[in-house]
Amino acid sequence: MDYMRIFSVFVVTLWIIRVDARVLGGRGIEKFVTFGQNYVVKWGQSHVSTLHSGEEVDLYIDQSSGGGFESKDSYGSGLFEMRIKVPGGNTGGIVTAFYLTSKGGGHDEIDFEFLGNNNGKPVTLQTNLFLNGEGNREERFLLWFNPTKHYHTYGLLWNPYQIVFYVDNIPIRVYKNENGVSYPSRPMQVEASLWNGDDWATDGGRTKVNWSYSPFIAHFRDFALSGCNIDGRSNNVGACESSNYWWNAGKYQRLSGNEQKLYEHVRSKYMNYDYCTDRSKYQTPPRECY
């Protein structure tokens, strides 16, 4: 029995109870919305299924196609969350994604990507940022739970001060807008997709999708958005930097003390790749790594 892992899960659970409710309780109770109020199918129409009057959407992938959906509107800041259960079983090569992205060249993007695996090996959660078209900012985690068994909440906080990746309200990654780093400057839509990434996603592309296990199914629910809708107003997110938006207020400009403890614990126990320390990729780490 892995007593150290059990202890780590116990510690995280205690910290979840203690962490201040800035992500959920801090904004009050949101009105329930269905999938169709905020989202539309983007591609793979026959591989997208809306269930329970729009409370849940399932994406399917087989050898013919995957599927994806996107928000109707574009945003310039906000907190974007979704509850997700990723495909289980032998899913090597399959990618489940939840992300923000701008349109056109030199795009900005903020990614959650779940990288499938085979033979009972854990699913890897990869986070990444594309800023003005440049990516290669991957951080990867083996989570303290199995994301194929139950729904968990994944959130992206984006404001003029920081980008925070949340898993069940625990911050696992922070990207600060300081010291002249590249930072998103374009309106972004919220997207989710299920697709074939077997040229890179599992074992560096050596593991290919075994289609005999298809269809693979990813489940999504809870589609509320808290963001500054920028459609038709500006091509620059500066229009969404006002402190009148609760997600731009002072307490969201940095992690709280409890969040900082959670952040440090998760990164020390569960992160297994950080581009900032990859000298084969960067002999000199990028500016944000300092």
Side-chain angles (χ1 to χ4, degrees):
M1 183 178 294
D2 188 345
Y3 289 103
M4 287 304 297
R5 184 172 179 84
I6 293 172
F7 176 75
S8 294
V9 173
F10 176 70
V11 170
V12 168
T13 302
L14 289 179
W15 271 339
I16 292 171
I17 295 171
R18 291 174 54 201
V19 69
D20 60 354
R22 60 168 56 192
V23 178
L24 292 178
R27 67 174 184 256
I29 298 174
E30 290 189 345
K31 181 174 114 176
F32 170 78
V33 294
T34 62
F35 171 81
Q37 289 176 267
N38 283 335
Y39 290 93
V40 294
V41 176
K42 182 181 181 183
W43 63 283
Q45 181 78 45
S46 63
H47 288 66
V48 182
S49 180
T50 304
L51 307 171
H52 310 303
S53 301
E55 293 182 24
E56 179 182 322
V57 166
D58 288 352
L59 299 183
Y60 299 76
I61 185 170
D62 55 26
Q63 209 157 0
S64 66
S65 179
F69 58 87
E70 66 182 2
S71 61
K72 296 177 180 179
D73 300 321
S74 296
Y75 301 89
S77 64
L79 175 65
F80 309 92
E81 294 177 303
M82 202 168 292
R83 290 181 60 77
I84 304 170
K85 183 168 64 172
V86 304
N90 287 325
T91 57
I94 297 295
V95 178
T96 307
F98 165 52
Y99 56 105
L100 305 178
T101 186
S102 66
K103 306 299 185 183
H107 78 296
D108 296 326
E109 189 169 304
I110 307 172
D111 295 332
F112 276 117
E113 294 172 314
F114 299 87
L115 312 183
N117 219 328
N118 290 341
N119 304 317
K121 296 177 182 177
V123 170
T124 293
L125 175 58
Q126 173 171 285
T127 64
N128 199 6
L129 292 162
F130 286 81
L131 302 169
N132 196 28
E134 295 185 4
N136 293 319
R137 295 178 171 89
E138 298 93 347
E139 292 183 359
R140 301 187 192 114
F141 302 80
L142 295 178
L143 295 168
W144 53 96
F145 56 83
N146 184 342
T148 74
K149 295 298 185 182
H150 304 284
Y151 282 98
H152 292 270
T153 302
Y154 303 91
L156 295 167
L157 172 69
W158 167 37
N159 64 30
Y161 310 97
Q162 62 178 357
I163 295 165
V164 183
F165 295 75
Y166 287 99
V167 176
D168 288 336
N169 306 326
I170 298 173
I172 67 167
R173 181 174 183 176
V174 177
Y175 185 91
K176 301 291 288 185
N177 186 15
E178 56 188 23
N179 301 324
V181 302
S182 297
Y183 204 73
S185 61
R186 297 165 177 82
M188 292 192 280
Q189 289 174 268
V190 188
E191 300 197 7
S193 59
L194 183 65
W195 51 284
N196 178 2
D198 70 4
D199 58 336
W200 67 273
T202 307
D203 300 324
R206 293 185 296 275
T207 297
K208 303 302 181 182
V209 177
N210 186 339
W211 294 110
S212 67
Y213 292 100
S214 67
F216 305 101
I217 306 173
H219 310 271
F220 301 81
R221 61 185 309 166
D222 294 350
F223 303 103
L225 296 174
S226 299
C228 170
N229 185 334
I230 204 169
D231 285 341
R233 295 167 51 197
S234 173
N235 289 323
N236 189 304
V237 301
C240 290
E241 294 181 352
S242 170
S243 60
N244 291 330
Y245 295 112
W246 63 260
W247 52 85
N248 294 340
K251 69 177 181 177
Y252 299 99
Q253 296 175 17
R254 63 193 62 83
L255 299 184
S256 71
N258 278 335
E259 284 183 318
Q260 186 66 33
K261 292 177 183 177
L262 284 165
Y263 171 76
E264 293 171 1
H265 176 78
V266 166
R267 292 176 69 81
S268 68
K269 295 292 185 181
Y270 302 106
M271 186 169 70
N272 62 3
Y273 175 81
D274 181 0
Y275 74 107
C276 285
T277 61
D278 187 345
R279 293 297 170 263
S280 66
K281 180 177 288 187
Y282 296 108
Q283 290 186 351
T284 301
R287 181 186 296 267
E288 64 267 16
C289 295
Y290 294 102

